[in-house]
Amino acid sequence: MKKYGKVATGGTFDHIHVGHRRLLERSFEVGEIVVIGVTSDEFVRKQGKRPDHTYEERGSQLVDYLDKNFQGRKYVIARLYDFFGPGIASPDVQAIVVSPETAARVPLANRLRAEKGYPPLEMVTIEKVLAEDGQPISSTRIRRGEIDTEGKLVRRKKVE
């Protein structure tokens, strides 16, 4: 497995679920330093999303998770105002860890990097993480009460 000095990844991280955990695990497997972009409240609204938590709350929950699960590992949290963040702005970022849903943005990121004279990002893609119903795990589904953070279906009690 190739190891990079610095890798980037990102997301909204509204509810840290098994998909986020796999993304972060892979990022720390391949990167000495992981730059984690967390979507700003402004950018979330532009995308039409309605997270349960503010940027500050999401960032705080992420830091708590990282400190508990990746003790001693180096990471940086960056606020994302667009899809690219530090992956575009930092020539020292060597790779980007993405889900299949976000992999399609990497060619554009590399074109923007080329315009700045930066080398292209290598792409590391994790497998899609599915809930027990075979559908992708997402914070949106968690907010709707369809699944929990492990991808288990939420069983609703019948009202008589």
Side-chain angles (χ1 to χ4, degrees):
M1 168 184 358
K2 187 166 184 178
K3 193 80 164 181
Y4 302 94
K6 189 178 275 189
V7 301
T9 195
T12 304
F13 298 101
D14 189 29
H15 294 272
I16 297 177
H17 54 69
V18 68
H20 290 132
R21 294 194 305 267
R22 293 242 180 100
L23 182 72
L24 294 166
E25 287 165 7
R26 187 72 175 133
S27 297
F28 282 101
E29 283 175 7
V30 301
E32 294 295 328
I33 300 170
V34 179
V35 180
I36 306 164
V38 178
T39 309
S40 68
D41 292 334
E42 298 86 356
F43 189 48
V44 167
R45 282 191 294 274
K46 284 182 190 175
Q47 295 179 74
K49 294 181 181 178
R50 304 187 118 189
D52 287 336
H53 304 97
T54 66
Y55 171 82
E56 288 75 18
E57 292 166 334
R58 292 181 281 119
S60 178
Q61 290 170 10
L62 179 60
V63 167
D64 289 346
Y65 175 78
L66 294 169
D67 288 348
K68 179 179 176 185
N69 294 280
F70 298 100
Q71 289 179 338
R73 299 302 307 271
K74 295 179 183 174
Y75 66 87
V76 176
I77 305 288
R79 191 180 303 231
L80 292 177
Y81 294 98
D82 58 34
F83 286 119
F84 303 115
I88 298 301
S90 302
D92 56 335
V93 174
Q94 299 166 306
I96 186 163
V97 182
V98 295
S99 66
E101 295 82 14
T102 57
R105 294 187 195 115
V106 176
L108 175 57
N110 280 332
R111 281 195 297 278
L112 296 170
R113 282 177 64 88
E115 289 173 7
K116 296 177 177 243
Y118 299 164
L121 295 169
E122 291 193 35
M123 183 169 56
V124 177
T125 306
I126 65 164
E127 291 182 26
K128 186 180 288 194
V129 181
L130 303 177
E132 70 180 2
D133 64 358
Q135 298 301 309
I137 293 174
S138 70
S139 293
T140 300
R141 294 190 68 203
I142 295 166
R143 275 191 298 279
R144 286 187 202 141
E146 297 172 25
I147 60 172
D148 65 15
T149 59
E150 300 303 313
K152 303 275 187 231
L153 294 175
V154 175
R155 311 281 185 233
R156 297 202 170 107
K157 293 182 181 179
K158 290 182 181 179
V159 178
E160 295 185 24

